[in-house]
Amino acid sequence: MTKRDYYEVLGIGRSASDDEIKKAYRKLARQFHPDVNKEAGASEKFAEVQESYDVLSEAAKRKQYDQFGHAGASVSPDTYEQMRRAHRARSQTVSPEDFEQQGGQFGDIFDQLFGGAGPFNRQGGRRRHPAQPERGSDVEYPVTLSFDQAARGSSLPLRMNMGGQIETIDVKVPAGVKDGSRVRVRGKGGRAGYEPGDLFIVVSVTPHPFFRRDGLDILLDLPISVYEALLGTRVEVPTLDGKVTLTIPPGTSSGSKLRIKARGVKRSGEQGDQFCILKIVVPKNLSEDEQAQIHELSRKHPVNPREDLDW
């Protein structure tokens, strides 16, 4: 079966931008994904869309495809350079009539590159060489992880189209992946040739309702009252591994960071910490007597928080 033009598969023009290519791919991938579309032929269309995107989303492969079509999309950079040089040399010496008689540029170029000194054998007939086995294309598969799964690692069962057959594989996502990370699974990509390509899991991490990440550290905003800040207290706070009790020393200022050791993100044998950032909450609607008491307190214990600032 003849392969369709990759641009035609994605429904875009040859001058399409990277964003237009990605947008078209995502729309079609959702439409034909085997987990969503159970119609006959959906798996084949999904594989066709994936193969088209794998080529057109990479600048080097797209350039090779634009110049040599499907024949150039799957060759190595060195082979592409040979093809380009051979094409340039032939275009300077071969007339249009000879070009037609020899069967066109791609056959002539591949004869020179893959097994012959020229396009004809000693009997004047055209040389025929078996097509070289190709490596299957790499495949990208988007997954969404929770904040906790990304920080601590996760095992995901994925249903994939493997050479036209639906196969379930367990993919172990290592701890510490970030939003946009690509996790490589060798040998689980396209299988068009004798050597399968690789599968790349593209991770999207959903935000946590109160945690956020800074490298391997986890940050948590912790509200405390002005009284707790003045007198000190003990507060129960959440971590990814359960709640712990945090001691807040007397006289702690708003914005202070209190560390909970080894409760951050794990990655490659390392683990960050959790930092609780204090946010002091003050009372409102004080009476005149209460305001007077605070004025008296400020007179006895004056504080100028801006005295060290060079404003």
Side-chain angles (χ1 to χ4, degrees), residues 7-21:
Y7 291 97
E8 178 186 343
V9 172
L10 296 182
I12 56 177
R14 304 189 78 82
S15 61
S17 66
D18 291 343
D19 286 341
E20 289 172 330
I21 292 172

Side-chain angles (χ1 to χ4, degrees), residues 143-151 173 176-181 202-208 213:
V143 299
T144 300
L145 301 180
S146 68
F147 186 93
D148 302 55
Q149 288 176 316
V173 179
V177 295
K178 298 180 179 179
D179 189 67
S181 295
V202 183
V203 176
S204 176
V205 181
T206 58
H208 198 277
R213 181 172 169 179

Side-chain angles (χ1 to χ4, degrees), residues 45-273:
K45 290 180 180 178
F46 177 77
E48 186 181 41
V49 168
Q50 184 68 62
E51 180 179 342
S52 301
Y53 178 71
D54 288 340
V55 171
L56 298 185
S57 63
E58 294 190 25
K61 289 184 179 180
R62 183 180 181 183
K63 181 179 179 181
Q64 293 175 199
Y65 176 74
D66 286 345
Q67 187 167 3
F68 294 108
H70 294 96
S74 58
V75 300
S76 68
D78 290 341
T79 301
Y80 166 69
E81 182 62 21
Q82 289 179 288
M83 291 172 64
R84 191 182 64 80
R85 291 177 181 175
H87 172 53
R88 185 171 64 238
R90 295 296 299 172
S91 65
Q92 295 172 353
T93 59
V94 178
S95 68
E97 293 77 17
D98 289 339
F99 181 83
E100 289 297 327
Q101 292 173 4
Q102 294 172 15
Q105 71 179 48
F106 296 127
D108 187 40
I109 291 171
F110 272 101
D111 275 345
Q112 294 182 49
L113 293 179
F114 301 127
F120 299 98
N121 60 28
R122 292 183 179 179
Q123 287 73 37
R126 180 161 181 79
R127 291 181 181 271
R128 299 294 179 187
H129 302 288
Q132 296 296 304
E134 299 176 358
R135 179 181 182 275
S137 60
D138 292 335
V139 175
E140 287 190 351
Y141 191 100
V143 299
T144 300
L145 301 180
S146 68
F147 186 93
D148 302 55
Q149 288 176 316
R152 292 292 183 258
S154 178
S155 181
L156 302 175
L158 302 181
R159 296 184 71 230
M160 303 291 299
N161 185 343
M162 301 295 185
Q165 295 183 340
I166 303 302
E167 179 180 334
T168 300
I169 61 174
D170 287 323
V171 176
K172 185 176 181 181
V173 179
V177 295
K178 298 180 179 179
D179 189 67
S181 295
R182 300 170 82 241
V183 180
R184 183 181 186 180
V185 184
R186 293 183 181 274
K188 293 298 182 180
R191 298 182 180 179
Y194 74 103
E195 178 186 356
D198 296 329
L199 168 65
F200 287 89
I201 303 299
V202 183
V203 176
S204 176
V205 181
T206 58
H208 198 277
F210 39 85
F211 291 129
R212 59 188 186 276
R213 181 172 169 179
D214 181 16
L216 295 183
D217 294 328
I218 291 177
L219 307 181
L220 170 70
D221 289 334
L222 177 59
I224 62 171
S225 70
V226 65
Y227 316 114
E228 292 173 321
L230 287 170
L231 303 176
T233 188
R234 291 166 63 84
V235 180
E236 194 175 62
V237 298
T239 74
L240 287 181
D241 304 311
K243 292 184 177 181
V244 300
T245 300
L246 178 68
T247 298
I248 299 174
T252 301
S253 299
S254 185
S256 297
K257 286 185 176 182
L258 301 183
R259 184 175 73 159
I260 304 175
K261 190 175 181 181
R263 292 300 178 108
V265 176
K266 298 177 180 179
R267 185 177 65 195
S268 302
E270 298 181 275
Q271 183 165 8
D273 302 319

